[in-house]
Structure formats: structure tokens, C-alpha cells
């Protein structure tokens, strides 16, 4: 039996494939390299010493995906294929809703037709909108997303809830990621944003290596300990491992729809991150204070207790390791 991983050459997908292979699972990857590179597949093989099946296709293509299900014995699907750039989603709502929402619907339809009903979905802390309570638990209110990317995650969560209600032989885990950073310790896979990065850590590493001049810190008048935005940064390898726990939960528990936060439960500000990065790498990160970025919130960090109690999962890597591994990846390229 194999695990089908859509978007398996992407940032979180590739790290999860490594963990799947390390735990001796058979893997089938579907990726069309729309936001990733073929070299990633070789890197995964190098890291794990293991092989997998690969299809260069669009995950939303029903006919081609049906063939993948017919040619392989698929046990469960992990869906990482999706567009994820917040700013771009505002410019291209049709593309985002088509790829993320319609794409997932097509995938679920093909799964149903092939009687495969184990599904792990990559959701995001963004579904909580502007959180009313910190730390955020899974039963906090969702909604109030401020961009089509975030809304696409919210819509898919609702679709999954409706699907489960209609047929509770489905086995679904929704994982709400907080802010993944870092890279595999080998430095062979990591985050590869196209163009100028939007997210904090990819920007910081490019300032440190001189590709970009200085970091703009978006706002220093937030209601936080130093005025800059606070987030729950989680090492991508910890996040990847959370998917193994999610699969084990489905193997043990079976039918149900389960929702978990994947975060560390700790909040760090932008300036905390700059300081931690400088200390753990010895590199300087020049920065200036810039105006707030539209749609940003003050504070967002998780209460990860439910994942600990029900999945037996906790994030193990600290901020120092996250900074070191982010830096190691960009240096090795
Ligand atoms: N920031 C800067 N300068 C930059 C980039 C970011 O000061 O150049 C600040 C932001 O204002 C924010 C913090 O760094 O306070 C983190 O920003 P990111 O863009 O790295 O991450 P976000 O929290 O905005 O968003 C991320 C993902 C989303 C996801 C969300 C979930 O990009 O996909 O986390 O909470 F939805």
C-alpha cells in the first residue's frame, strides 16, 4: 500500500516524503513543478537512500489522477499541492480558488471513485483570522480571512466537514500549520521561493548572504513585547513528522474527522527572530522599521496540546536549530 503525496516536490511536501520513506512507507508523488524543481526528487533519494514512484501531472486533472489510482494501491492521500503566496492570491483569486478549491474537489472525487478515503489536508493558522484568544486552540472561531489564499483553506475545511457528514466512512485529518521555517539538516532540501520572498525567514537568509540589502520590519507599533509581530515558528521537519502521527492516528482510529494545530506553542517577534538568527549563525541582518503590511495581525501562536494528547506529537527543534538549518540550506545551494 502506498501513500499518495500531491505537491511532493514542494517545501513541506518534500520534507514529509523524507519522513514517510524513513518510516518505510511506499510513496507515490504527484507534482507538476509549478512551484518546485525536479532536482528535489533526487535530493529526497539522496537523503533517504530510498526510491518512490513519480508522476509529472497536475493534481487537479481527474483523468490522469484516476490512472494514478488505478496503477497503484493507494492507501491514503496527503495533499500539499496548492498555491500559497498570500499577496499573489489577492491579485489572482480565480487562479487560487481554481487550483486550491476546485483542485481539491477533483482530487476528493477521484479518491471517492477509487474508494480511497484516508485524507490529510494541509490547512493553515490563517483560518483563525484575527484570533480572539491566544494561544489558539482548535475550537477557537475560524473565519475572517483577509485574502483568497486563506479563504481557500477555510473553504476546503468546510468542504471536508460536509463530506464527512455525508459519508462518515471517510478518515480525514486537517492539520493547521503555524509558520514553518528551517530545512532538512542535510541542506539538500528547503524553501525555494520564486522572486523576492514574502515570508520572514527566506528574506532574512537573503539579507544575511548579501542577495538583499536589508530587512524591512513591517511595523513596530503592534501590541506585543517589542512592538513587532509575533508568530509561532515551527521547524519544517517537526511539521513533516506531524503528518506521520496523523497517518498513524487514522490507521489506529479509523473513521472520523480530526483537526490539529501544528505549532510549538511559543511566540517570537520579528526582532526576536533577527536576534536569534544573528546569534546562531554569526551573520548580521541589517534592518529598518517599515510601515505595517496590510492584513497582518499582532500575535498568532498555537496551543499544541491536542496534537500532543491525541497524536503523541510535539515539536522538538528549537529556534536556534530553525535558524541554523535555514542558513545551512541557502549556503549549500
Ligand atoms: N515580516 C517582516 N518583514 C518581512 C516579512 C515578514 O517584518 O519582510 C513580518 C510580518 O509582518 C509578520 C512576521 O514577519 O509579523 C511573519 O510574516 P510571514 O510573512 O513570514 O508569515 P505570516 O505569519 O504573515 O504568514 C504565514 C504564511 C501564511 C500562513 C500564515 C499562518 O505565509 O501562508 O503564516 O499563520 F497562512
Amino acid at each position: 500500500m502506498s501513500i499518495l503525496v500531491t505537491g511532493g516536490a514542494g517545501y513541506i511536501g518534500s520534507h514529509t516524503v523524507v519522513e514517510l520513506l524513513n518510516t518505510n512507507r511506499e510513496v507515490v508523488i504527484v507534482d507538476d513543478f509549478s512551484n518546485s524543481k525536479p532536482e528535489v526528487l533526487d535530493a529526497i533519494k539522496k537523503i533517504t537512500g530510498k526510491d518512490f514512484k513519480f508522476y509529472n501531472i497536475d493534481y487537479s486533472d481527474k483523468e490522469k489522477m484516476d490512472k494514478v489510482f488505478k496503477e497503484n494501491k493507494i492507501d491514503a492521500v496527503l495533499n500539499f499541492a496548492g498555491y500559497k503566496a498570500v499577496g499573489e492570491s489577492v491579485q489572482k483569486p480565480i487562479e487560487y480558488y481554481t487550483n486550491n478549491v476546485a483542485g481539491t474537489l477533483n482530487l476528493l472525487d477521484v479518491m471517492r471513485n477509487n474508494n480511497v478515503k484516508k485524507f490529510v489536508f494541509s490547512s493553515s493558522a490563517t483560518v483563525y483570522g484575527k484570533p480572539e484568544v491566544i494561544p489558539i486552540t482548535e475550537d477557537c472561531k475560524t473565519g475572517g480571512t483577509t485574502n483568497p489564499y486563506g479563504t481557500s483553506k477555510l473553504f476546503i475545511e468546510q468542504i471536508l466537514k460536509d463530506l464527512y457528514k455525508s459519508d462518515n466512512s471517510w478518515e480525514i485529518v486537517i492539520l493547521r500549520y503555524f509558520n514553518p521555517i528551517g530545512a532538512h539538516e542535510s541542506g539538500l532540501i528547503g524553501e525555494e521561493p520564486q522572486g523576492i520572498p514574502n515570508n520572514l525567514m527566506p528574506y532574512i537568509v537573503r539579507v544575511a548572504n548579501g542577495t538583499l540589502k536589508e530587512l524591512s520590519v513591517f511595523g513596530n507599533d503592534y501590541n506585543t513585547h517589542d512592538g513587532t509581530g509575533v508568530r509561532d515558528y515551527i521547524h519544517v521537519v517537526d511539521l513533516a513528522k506531524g503528518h506521520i502521527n496523523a497517518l498513524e492516528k487514522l490507521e489506529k482510529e479509523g473513521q472520523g474527522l480530526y483537526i490539529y494545530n501544528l505549532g510549538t506553542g511559543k511566540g517570537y517577534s520579528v526582532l526576536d527572530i533577527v536576534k536569534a538568527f544573528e546569534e546562531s549563525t554569526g551573520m548580521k541582518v541589517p534592518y529598518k522599521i517599515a510601515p505595517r503590511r496590510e492584513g497582518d495581525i499582532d500575535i498568532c501562536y498555537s496551543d499544541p496540546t491536542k496534537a500532543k494528547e491525541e497524536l503523541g506529537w510535539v515539536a522538538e527543534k528549537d529556534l536556534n536549530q530553525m535558524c541554523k538549518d535555514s542558513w545551512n540550506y541557502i549556503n549549500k545551494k
Side-chain angles (χ1 to χ4, degrees), residues 243-264:
H243 296 75
I244 308 297
N245 295 66
L247 279 176
E248 285 167 353
K249 169 89 180 169
L250 294 184
E251 283 155 13
K252 246 192 341 234
E253 217 84 22
Q255 300 168 3
L257 182 143
Y258 311 93
I259 302 180
Y260 300 102
N261 286 338
L262 293 186
T264 64

Side-chain angles (χ1 to χ4, degrees), residues 3-274:
I3 310 296
L4 175 66
V5 184
T6 68
Y11 176 44
I12 302 172
S14 60
H15 286 85
T16 303
V17 170
V18 167
E19 298 308 320
L20 288 166
L21 294 170
N22 282 345
T23 49
N24 297 319
R25 289 174 163 86
E26 279 176 34
V27 174
V28 176
I29 296 180
V30 163
D31 204 300
D32 64 358
F33 301 123
S34 55
N35 193 23
S36 60
K37 293 194 178 135
E39 295 88 87
V40 173
L41 302 180
D42 296 326
I44 295 172
K45 288 178 193 162
K46 207 166 161 193
I47 291 169
T48 60
K50 291 185 179 150
D51 208 352
F52 47 82
K53 219 161 160 184
F54 171 69
Y55 292 86
N56 183 346
I57 56 178
D58 175 352
Y59 90 113
S60 64
D61 185 323
K62 278 193 186 180
E63 247 170 65
K64 290 185 180 154
M65 287 298 284
D66 192 64
K67 270 190 79 187
V68 174
F69 279 84
K70 297 279 181 313
E71 286 173 16
N72 300 279
K73 269 182 151 9
I74 305 291
D75 181 40
V77 179
L78 308 190
N79 183 18
F80 298 98
Y83 295 156
K84 60 171 187 179
V86 172
E88 185 185 58
S89 78
V90 178
Q91 308 304 322
K92 297 181 173 175
I94 293 179
E95 283 79 359
Y96 269 69
Y97 288 122
T98 302
N99 187 49
N100 293 7
V101 182
T104 303
L105 279 170
N106 286 352
L107 174 62
L108 292 168
D109 193 23
V110 176
M111 286 178 68
R112 178 180 57 176
N113 294 340
N114 286 279
N115 203 30
V116 176
K117 292 185 172 176
K118 284 193 176 80
F119 188 65
V120 179
F121 176 63
S122 303
S123 190
S124 164
T126 196
V127 300
Y128 294 113
K130 189 171 170 18
E132 283 169 358
V133 190
I134 295 286
I136 305 170
T137 57
E138 289 79 353
D139 46 21
C140 283
K141 204 174 100 243
T142 57
T145 48
T146 52
N147 55 75
Y149 159 75
T151 309
S152 75
K153 295 291 177 189
L154 196 66
F155 285 170
I156 299 165
E157 286 204 5
Q158 188 59 51
I159 288 165
L160 292 171
K161 288 173 191 166
D162 292 340
L163 177 62
Y164 180 69
K165 212 188 270 175
S166 74
D167 171 3
N168 50 33
S169 66
W170 279 85
E171 304 173 32
I172 298 170
V173 179
I174 292 172
L175 298 175
R176 293 178 179 155
Y177 307 156
F178 282 69
N179 290 51
I181 58 172
H184 190 266
E185 61 183 1
S186 63
L188 293 173
I189 52 173
E191 191 167 15
E192 195 85 43
Q194 286 173 353
I196 296 176
N198 297 304
N199 297 116
L200 182 61
M201 188 54 87
Y203 206 102
I204 286 180
V205 293
R206 283 163 183 79
V207 171
N209 79 359
T211 313
L212 295 167
K213 190 169 143 261
E214 63 185 353
L215 171 72
S216 292
V217 175
F218 298 142
N220 67 348
D221 56 353
Y222 284 109
N223 188 19
T224 63
H225 62 273
D226 61 14
T228 66
V230 166
R231 298 289 183 275
D232 185 340
Y233 297 92
I234 172 170
H235 198 294
V236 65
V237 171
D238 279 329
L239 191 77
K241 287 180 176 164
H243 296 75
I244 308 297
N245 295 66
L247 279 176
E248 285 167 353
K249 169 89 180 169
L250 294 184
E251 283 155 13
K252 246 192 341 234
E253 217 84 22
Q255 300 168 3
L257 182 143
Y258 311 93
I259 302 180
Y260 300 102
N261 286 338
L262 293 186
T264 64
K266 294 189 188 82
Y268 291 105
S269 73
V270 177
L271 294 181
D272 290 337
I273 298 293
V274 169

Side-chain angles (χ1 to χ4, degrees), residues 283-323:
M283 302 305 295
K284 287 304 281 176
V285 182
Y287 68 86
K288 64 167 188 227
I289 304 299
R292 288 182 176 202
R293 183 173 66 179
E294 207 190 311
D296 274 355
I297 51 176
D298 302 33
I299 304 189
C300 173
Y301 64 90
S302 68
D303 178 340
T305 309
K306 192 177 173 203
K308 183 178 178 190
E309 287 179 356
E310 294 187 17
L311 299 181
W313 173 90
V314 280
E316 285 167 350
K317 293 178 187 281
D318 64 10
L319 189 55
N320 175 38
Q321 199 63 49
M322 297 183 216
C323 293

